[in-house]
Amino acid sequence: MSAAGIDDPHGAYVLRLADSNLVLAQRLGEWIGHAPALEEDLGLANTALDLLGQARLLLTHAGDLEGRGRDEDALAFLREERDYRNVALVEQPNGDFGDTIVRQFLYDAWQVELYGRLGASRDRQLAAIADKALKESNYHLRFSAGWVVRLGDGTPESHERVQGSLDRLWPWTVELCEPDDIDHAMLAAGVGVDLAAVRAGWDRRVDRTLSEATLVRPADHPWRWFGKRGQHGEHLGRLLAEMQSLHRAHPGAQW
Amino acid sequence: MDTAALAERFQARIDADERIEPKDWMPDAYRRTLIRQMSQHAHSEIVGMLPEGNWITRAPTLKRKAILMAKVQDEGGHGAYLYGATETLGVTRDALIEELLAGAARYSSIFNYPTPTWADIGAIGWLVDGAAIMNQIPLCRCSYGPYARAMVRICKEESFHQRQGYDIMLALARGTDAQRRMAQEALDRWWWPALMMFGPPDADSKHSAQSMRWRIKRFSNDELRRRFIEFTVPQAEYLGLAVPQGEIDWSEFEQVLAGHGPCNRERIAARRRAHESGRWVREAALAWADKQRSKRREAV
Amino acid sequence: MTSSNDWPLYEVFIRARGGLDHKHVGSIHATDERMALEHARDVYTRRQEGVSIWVVRSSAIVASDPSDAEAFFEPARDKVYRHPTFYDIPDEVKTL
């Protein structure tokens, strides 16, 4: 069985969504047992479980579209870094709670806009997954936005920390709404969404929360390193090495 | 009414199987015993998240990852229920957690053992949760109302924990030679510590008699241990695994309890790290809430 | 013993299904109302236990004292005529 990515644009489009959710779920999983308060452990775990659930549905769908018999585990555990197509924002390390929350907020705001539109996709399976996921993402956004506001407008220390998180993570948001060939092709096919519209909605949500949080929106700079095209930083390799280690150590085993 | 009369009426209520509620009169020793036992129980849930959390990022399939994440999250939830129930006795969760972090509070020694392989996750679910359930089911009828109610909720949720553990062991037992070896080694590692979870032999158990009188405890350590072995041995046989033979080495129990288990220091260090690195977050949330309150006052 | 750095305690009440009362299920800690609702949701409804949540600051609850129990609740004991079973109605009389 090949361990490569998916070439067909439709499958590749679904795989991007799947990978982003999977990688972020993996990151959030690192938090469980280490959060700033017990209730936050449970909250982060709920978000992680939702994202993992979405990832599994999307991976399965991507495998079905590919039609070569790869299931969710074959796609998750047997692809290498260069064939992962997650947006690079989600592979950024957890850092402190502020970094995690800002990463989550930027992603949640994007997912809400994205899923809201994917519900109208001509790919009915994808649309059904999006409808279910939208409800979850609405809650994630409520949770993360609430924390962005508390940390941004909390103490001088928290304000400074979380503004730093925002500044560091901001460049990785460029690819969220910048369409490439696959996005264009899927929009034309009625499968994908119009990222310009997603962008407008995302801007509104982000600006509203940042202003409430007394945080300054960083300036946009040109940025061309897109995880969704397989251009990853140094962190994803380690994340996958850890995630895939046991599965790969026992080829073909059932668990 | 004088204390002797109150104490007599208290014991009469217990004997009649009535529940004691937070604002009811209770002997200081009863309150202290409950605070100690319930907070130890809560700490155990929280520290217990660590050995299993060790495998969330490496679970061998996505389904197993989801199950394990939900399970470890449940342990956190159980900790939350139990801290909440303990707080009805007039202590704060923060004070209890401070005691844990200062090394002044105990938690179940079992969580001072490491989880070097995936099979340990199966063994913990099957054996450790199995032993815990056996300890906990009688607590659903414990004389203190909030504790009993928390335990009802916990036991309901726990029932999937033991089954998912056995399910992991079953997959390993039916798997490759390497998987079967992994399963046997995990059983060898966890068998004795699991048996020790029921506490010292009845003859050496210093709190037992009074706790039975107060109906905080309903069965003796040895009785529960015997029952656990009775249930578990056939389950191991079904897996084709060999249950270790011999006697419990109580000196190991004492040693781990005294702080010299393989992971005691790591566990507390991890909790401390989480607590310390979360401090600025907790302070920020309080500061934000204060600001909102004063804004509202100004607006009036 | 609450220090100023402790997160306040909230009591959580959950309506399990439409048509039922909210029932006390336990407590959580939170710094503000929004967080309290989210924490109650995250801690107490992981298995579809509810369709509606109330949270209330524990310090805002006014509770009767057990030492008042006799004065509060005993007087209702002898008012047996308040209960339908107090009245003997002939079997022939229906729907009463």
Side-chain angles (χ1 to χ4, degrees):
Chain A
M1 190 184 296
S2 155
I6 294 179
D7 296 328
D8 159 64
H10 190 166
Y13 185 81
V14 175
L15 194 61
R16 286 175 170 187
L17 302 174
D19 286 348
S20 294
N21 286 325
L22 177 57
V23 169
L24 188 52
Q26 176 76 2
R27 280 288 184 230
L28 292 177
E30 296 169 17
W31 267 105
I32 301 172
H34 307 277
L38 188 45
E39 288 86 354
E40 272 10 278
D41 269 317
L42 276 92
L44 291 170
N46 273 338
T47 301
L49 281 168
D50 288 342
L51 293 175
L52 181 55
Q54 295 173 17
R56 293 178 63 193
L57 293 172
L58 290 163
L59 283 171
T60 302
H61 185 42
D64 288 347
L65 287 169
E66 187 190 38
R68 289 169 52 212
R70 286 203 278 179
D71 64 8
E72 58 177 34
D73 289 326
L75 286 168
F77 292 97
L78 299 175
R79 271 181 307 143
E80 292 181 9
E81 192 183 344
R82 55 187 289 278
D83 295 318
Y84 259 74
R85 289 294 186 267
N86 57 284
V87 293
L89 173 68
V90 296
E91 72 197 48
Q92 302 309 310
N94 282 342
D96 66 16
F97 186 72
D99 294 325
T100 291
I101 283 296
V102 169
R103 184 185 65 197
Q104 193 65 39
F105 166 68
L106 296 170
Y107 186 73
D108 293 341
W110 179 66
Q111 279 213 311
V112 165
E113 293 296 329
L114 186 80
Y115 284 144
R117 290 173 175 78
L118 266 184
S121 171
R122 217 176 268 170
D123 174 346
R124 293 319 296 158
Q125 176 64 13
L126 181 57
I129 296 171
D131 282 343
K132 173 185 181 292
L134 177 61
K135 294 174 200 157
E136 297 168 348
S137 295
N138 274 324
Y139 186 81
H140 305 163
L141 179 59
R142 178 194 157 103
F143 179 87
S144 62
W147 270 109
V148 167
V149 171
R150 284 183 204 104
L151 297 177
D153 193 21
T155 61
E157 181 190 0
S158 72
H159 177 86
E160 195 181 322
R161 275 179 183 255
V162 85
Q163 180 69 54
S165 309
L166 188 62
D167 295 344
R168 277 192 300 282
L169 290 166
W170 193 255
W172 303 107
T173 63
V174 172
E175 70 169 306
L176 296 179
C177 301
E178 201 155 297
D180 65 1
D181 291 349
I182 289 179
D183 293 311
H184 286 307
M186 285 304 102
L187 177 60
V191 169
V193 300
D194 177 6
L195 284 179
V198 170
R199 168 82 193 217
W202 185 81
D203 275 342
R204 268 195 305 277
R205 289 181 189 277
V206 168
D207 287 345
R208 196 181 329 137
T209 297
L210 292 187
S211 131
E212 206 186 326
T214 70
L215 293 168
V216 179
R217 178 179 169 133
D220 286 312
H221 295 290
W223 188 265
R224 59 175 71 210
W225 290 276
F226 287 9
K228 66 181 176 184
R229 293 201 297 250
Q231 297 163 307
H232 299 288
E234 294 177 347
H235 304 296
L236 183 67
R238 279 205 180 76
L239 178 145
L240 293 180
E242 182 176 352
M243 186 177 93
Q244 298 174 338
S245 58
L246 176 62
H247 187 97
R248 287 187 177 223
H250 301 265
Q254 299 296 307
W255 300 95
Chain B
M1 217 183 292
D2 65 8
T3 312
L6 283 166
E8 199 174 310
R9 203 166 71 170
F10 172 83
Q11 190 60 49
R13 289 186 62 196
I14 300 257
D15 294 342
D17 231 359
E18 278 182 43
R19 294 290 174 271
I20 307 302
E21 293 298 338
K23 296 186 78 175
D24 293 343
W25 185 89
M26 61 185 84
D28 283 342
Y30 176 82
R31 184 185 302 272
R32 277 198 308 274
T33 300
L34 280 173
I35 292 174
R36 193 192 64 237
Q37 180 175 334
M38 291 165 70
S39 61
Q40 280 180 12
H41 197 163
H43 296 329
S44 301
E45 300 282 357
I46 301 311
V47 177
M49 296 171 81
L50 299 170
E52 288 180 283
N54 182 34
W55 279 92
I56 289 176
T57 56
R58 292 178 291 166
T61 67
L62 296 185
K63 185 178 94 180
R64 292 288 183 202
K65 189 191 288 291
I67 294 170
L68 181 58
M69 222 185 253
K71 198 222 163 197
V72 177
Q73 183 199 36
D74 272 352
E75 312 292 0
H78 299 170
Y81 307 157
L82 287 163
Y83 281 125
T86 317
E87 284 182 292
T88 63
L89 290 159
V91 287
T92 67
R93 182 169 95 186
D94 293 82
L96 297 172
I97 288 176
E98 287 299 336
E99 279 178 30
L100 172 70
L101 300 181
R106 280 190 174 160
Y107 55 88
S108 182
S109 265
I110 194 89
F111 300 117
N112 290 317
Y113 289 87
T115 53
T117 74
W118 172 251
D120 294 298
I121 301 308
I124 288 185
W126 171 37
L127 300 173
V128 176
D129 289 309
I133 291 169
M134 207 149 268
N135 271 327
Q136 288 171 353
I137 285 175
L139 287 173
C140 297
R141 294 187 294 131
C142 150
S143 63
Y144 188 56
Y147 195 17
R149 289 191 289 274
M151 289 317 304
V152 168
R153 180 174 283 273
I154 289 171
C155 285
K156 229 188 272 175
E157 298 187 0
E158 284 271 353
S159 56
F160 106 79
H161 293 183
Q162 190 185 14
R163 294 174 75 106
Q164 67 86 34
Y166 195 74
D167 190 52
I168 289 175
M169 296 302 275
L170 207 52
L172 296 175
R174 290 171 176 167
T176 63
D177 289 347
Q179 286 176 306
R180 263 194 303 281
R181 192 165 59 241
M182 200 190 278
Q184 180 64 57
E185 285 170 3
L187 171 57
D188 295 345
R189 266 194 295 278
W190 292 93
W191 178 252
W192 299 114
L195 294 186
M196 294 179 205
M197 282 176 71
F198 296 96
D202 293 346
D204 308 329
S205 180
K206 60 181 177 193
H207 301 302
S208 283
Q210 181 60 64
S211 285
M212 302 263 273
R213 234 178 347 265
W214 278 333
R215 302 208 181 169
I216 295 173
K217 197 179 166 93
R218 286 175 182 261
F219 299 98
S220 83
N221 296 352
D222 287 334
E223 206 177 333
L224 289 171
R225 186 164 21 240
R226 214 169 24 247
R227 221 187 291 171
F228 175 76
I229 295 172
E230 212 176 278
F231 289 153
T232 312
V233 168
Q235 294 166 357
E237 279 166 6
Y238 184 82
L239 293 173
L241 300 178
V243 173
Q245 299 298 308
E247 294 286 317
I248 298 177
D249 175 2
W250 286 106
S251 67
E252 176 180 320
F253 179 75
E254 294 298 331
Q255 202 181 323
V256 180
L257 201 62
H260 309 300
C263 298
N264 297 54
R265 288 173 188 78
E266 266 170 66
R267 299 293 185 236
I268 290 299
R271 290 311 312 162
R272 250 183 234 154
R273 211 160 39 239
H275 189 74
E276 286 309 316
S277 52
R279 190 182 297 281
W280 70 273
V281 175
R282 295 191 300 275
E283 286 171 359
L286 280 169
W288 184 81
D290 272 346
K291 275 190 210 174
Q292 302 313 304
R293 266 190 295 278
S294 27
K295 269 188 211 161
R296 247 178 285 169
R297 265 198 303 276
E298 280 165 29
V300 171
Chain C
M1 274 194 311
T2 308
S3 83
S4 59
N5 281 332
D6 291 359
W7 280 9
L9 192 64
Y10 286 78
E11 300 301 321
V12 180
F13 302 81
I14 290 184
R15 184 199 298 287
R17 287 192 310 278
L20 297 181
D21 294 322
H22 284 79
K23 185 169 170 283
H24 183 246
V25 294
S27 61
I28 49 94
H29 287 267
T31 55
D32 57 72
E33 289 154 10
R34 171 179 173 149
M35 191 199 287
L37 270 181
E38 290 170 2
H39 283 175
R41 180 261 191 195
D42 285 330
V43 174
Y44 287 101
T45 67
R46 302 194 306 288
R47 287 175 171 77
Q48 297 181 294
E49 291 94 335
V51 295
S52 164
I53 301 174
W54 289 349
V55 288
V56 57
R57 279 284 278 265
S58 308
S59 58
I61 288 182
V62 183
S64 65
D65 197 290
S67 66
D68 290 332
E70 287 180 3
F72 268 54
F73 308 115
E74 292 288 314
R77 185 185 264 183
D78 66 353
K79 315 286 195 295
V80 284
Y81 45 80
R82 284 184 184 278
H83 300 280
T85 47
F86 180 73
Y87 305 92
D88 283 327
I89 305 288
D91 288 345
E92 296 79 33
V93 184
K94 300 298 180 195
T95 62
L96 197 68

